[in-house]
Structures are given as C-alpha cells and as structure tokens.
Amino acid sequence: MALIALAADKGSPGVTTAAVALAAVWPRRVLLAEADPAGGDLVYRSAAAHGGPLNPNTGMLSIAATARRGLVPDQLWDHVQPLSGGLEVLVGLGIAEQAAGLAGLWPTLGHAFASLADSPHAAADVIADCGRISGDTPALDLFPHASLVLLLSRTEPESLARVRDRAAALAGKLHGGPRGAASLANPVIGVVLIADTGTAGKLASQVNDMLVHAQTGARVLGTIADDPAGADQLAGRRRGRLDKSLLIRSARKVAADIHQQYGAAWAASAQANQAPHAPQGNHAHQGDHARQAPHVPHQQAGHTQGHAGAGT
C-alpha cells in the first residue's frame, strides 16, 4: 500500500517509539525500517525472535552492497530480522559514520520501500524511522517516494513552531511551494503530536488551525499518548499489558484513522501497479515471507514485542 516516513525536526520527541508502536498495530503486513542516517537503536534494545540479540550487520548495513547493483523490492526481505513477537525489522546503522556506505543509495532505497507494496510475492507497507531531519540529512531522499510523511512533535511552543516551519519547508521541497489543501499534495505531510491524553484533542485542533493558517500544506493526523510507562513496556524495560497501555491504544487509533482516510487509495494504487503475471525471478523462494507476521498489541509485553525498543 504505502511507504510511511516518520521524522522529527529537532530534539527527541519519540520517533522510534512512535514508529515501533504504529508498526505493532498496523492493520496490514508491515516492515519497520530504521532509516535514520545517525544510526538505529533497536539492535541495542531489542530481542530477536530466536531470543538472542539482533545481528547489527544484517539490515541497512548489509543492504548497501546489494543496492549498488540495483535493488528489487523483494530483496529487502533478505536483510530483515524478526523481533520477538513477530515484527519484521530492517535494522539500522550502528553509527553515523556507516552512512557513508549508503551515499547515493537513498533514492534507490526509497523506491524499493515504496514498491514493496506492489510485490506479488510478499507485499508489505514500510514504516521508515528517519530520525531527525534538520539540515541536509540524506533520509530526505526517501520522502519523494513516500505516500505519507509524518512529522512527530511534542507540544511545547518551540516544538510546535519548529514543526510548523519544517512542514512548510518540506512542502516547498516536495511540492514546489506551500499548499493550502494537504489532501491535494503528494506525498501527504502530516503531523502527529506526542501529547498528554487529557489535552490531546484540544491541542490537535489548535495546532491544525495553526498549520492551515500558515499554509504549510500539512495537518494534524492524530496524537500519540505521552506515556513513559507504555514506552518502557514497548522497550522491554517494564512488564505489563502492553495492549492496554495508552501508547498502544493511541497508536492504534492513529493507524486506523490513517487507513480509513488513505488506505483505499493506496490499495487501489498498489493493485494498479502490480503486474498480473510478474515473474518470480531470484526471489521465488520467499513465499514464506508472504505469510502474515504476527502483531503485538493483544498480548502481554513480556511475551510480545515488549522488546521492540523505544529509542528516540
């Protein structure tokens, strides 16, 4: 269906936590890609499906050599590792210096991420954690291939001012200028607020009015609960009913709202782009990947993706 890119302007609003939470409750098969050029967090905080640590050399680092020879979307699965609980992850770089190995390859990755939804063998949406995007981060090269760019922001005045300005700058870069109606722009630029549940609704309306008034081309698509206890459960640092946490419940609503608004259009686009008799090529063996991976949210954290890692 889609590539959904998550990012923030500055600070640590919880991009990785939000990305893992959304992937955990995503209604379709999904691949979580740690696409932050500064490095990923999950390899340090997560348990693999076999109970041991994730392999830091399998993921974005291993895909660099493959992508230089061209990258068929199904090849992404060769670099994916399942977390405890079933979430399929493309592990990020270890340190920022390793990003040099991906120089010039970010558009190729973006195209592969977006095209994975069209795979006749193992179709999936991709949620990409792009980290902070201030400056000239190469992760920006993923955005033209995305169906949706979600900017994460906390609710302090300076954070809201920054997300407003970042949304306007992205509209200029991706759409050629500010847009008054976000639904006409492609990719859609949305804002997700990390907020206290008691004030989330009112704040979302106020911030949305600000974004529209500033003609940023973006609008608020939802709020995710500022829930430190839920984030600790998601990271495996705390036991409890993860599916009952404010974090997962709010992420589920954001995911459902996004699918209600955009899912049909994304599905139609994927169906139109999918060749009816596409050859299987070198990846016919990947039929096992086509099975729906188990998702997290209806079990206790200790037995699910509670080890999925919260990160920044």
Side-chain angles (χ1 to χ4, degrees):
M1 284 169 67
L3 164 61
I4 299 95
L6 273 66
D9 180 78
K10 189 177 180 181
S12 299
V15 177
T16 301
T17 299
V20 174
L22 287 172
V25 299
W26 203 248
R28 269 176 43 97
R29 188 182 187 187
V30 68
L31 169 62
L32 175 62
E34 284 196 292
D36 185 349
D41 294 314
L42 296 184
V43 73
Y44 302 112
R45 305 178 185 221
S46 308
H50 52 67
L54 293 166
N55 184 348
N57 297 315
T58 300
M60 291 290 284
L61 190 62
S62 64
I63 212 169
T66 300
R68 293 200 178 280
R69 299 188 295 270
L71 187 62
V72 176
D74 281 333
Q75 288 178 290
L76 293 169
W77 296 116
D78 295 338
H79 306 269
V80 166
Q81 301 179 65
L83 297 185
S84 174
L87 182 60
E88 295 167 300
V89 175
L90 191 65
V91 169
L93 302 172
I95 56 175
E97 286 76 7
Q98 291 176 337
L102 288 167
L105 297 178
W106 293 90
T108 300
L109 284 171
H111 182 265
F113 289 163
S115 300
L116 190 61
D118 304 334
S119 167
H121 316 307
D125 296 332
V126 175
I127 293 179
D129 171 7
C130 298
R132 290 183 287 274
I133 57 168
S134 53
D136 295 325
T137 172
L140 286 170
D141 289 335
L142 299 179
F143 289 8
H145 302 278
S147 295
L148 176 63
V149 174
L150 289 180
L151 298 176
L152 277 290
S153 175
R154 294 194 178 270
T155 56
E156 296 83 4
E158 62 272 20
S159 298
L160 296 177
R162 284 187 176 278
V163 79
R164 175 199 63 201
D165 295 344
R166 178 58 58 186
L170 281 177
K173 183 178 181 65
L174 298 173
H175 309 149
R179 300 290 292 265
S183 61
L184 299 178
N186 188 33
V188 173
I189 300 173
V191 171
V192 171
L193 300 176
I194 310 300
D196 180 86
T197 55
T199 59
K202 182 178 179 180
L203 277 170
S205 178
Q206 292 173 342
V207 174
N208 192 68
D209 289 345
M210 176 188 73
L211 295 172
V212 172
H213 180 74
Q215 294 188 322
T216 61
R219 59 192 181 94
V220 176
L221 295 185
T223 62
I224 290 179
D226 186 2
D227 179 16
D232 283 345
Q233 291 173 16
L234 192 65
R237 295 188 293 264
R238 179 172 179 164
R239 296 185 63 84
R241 286 294 301 272
L242 181 57
D243 61 309
K244 299 295 184 182
S245 69
L246 292 173
L247 173 63
I248 288 297
R249 287 162 58 190
S250 59
R252 186 181 290 115
K253 185 178 188 309
V254 171
D257 288 347
I258 288 173
H259 268 261
Q260 182 178 12
Q261 184 157 2
Y262 303 110
W266 292 344
S269 176
Q271 187 174 10
N273 292 333
Q274 192 175 59
H277 301 290
Q280 292 189 358
N282 294 329
H283 291 270
H285 68 280
Q286 294 193 358
D288 287 345
H289 289 297
R291 292 192 295 267
Q292 181 74 17
H295 278 219
V296 180
H298 300 296
Q299 303 176 31
Q300 292 188 359
H303 301 286
T304 67
Q305 262 155 247
H307 297 285
T312 56

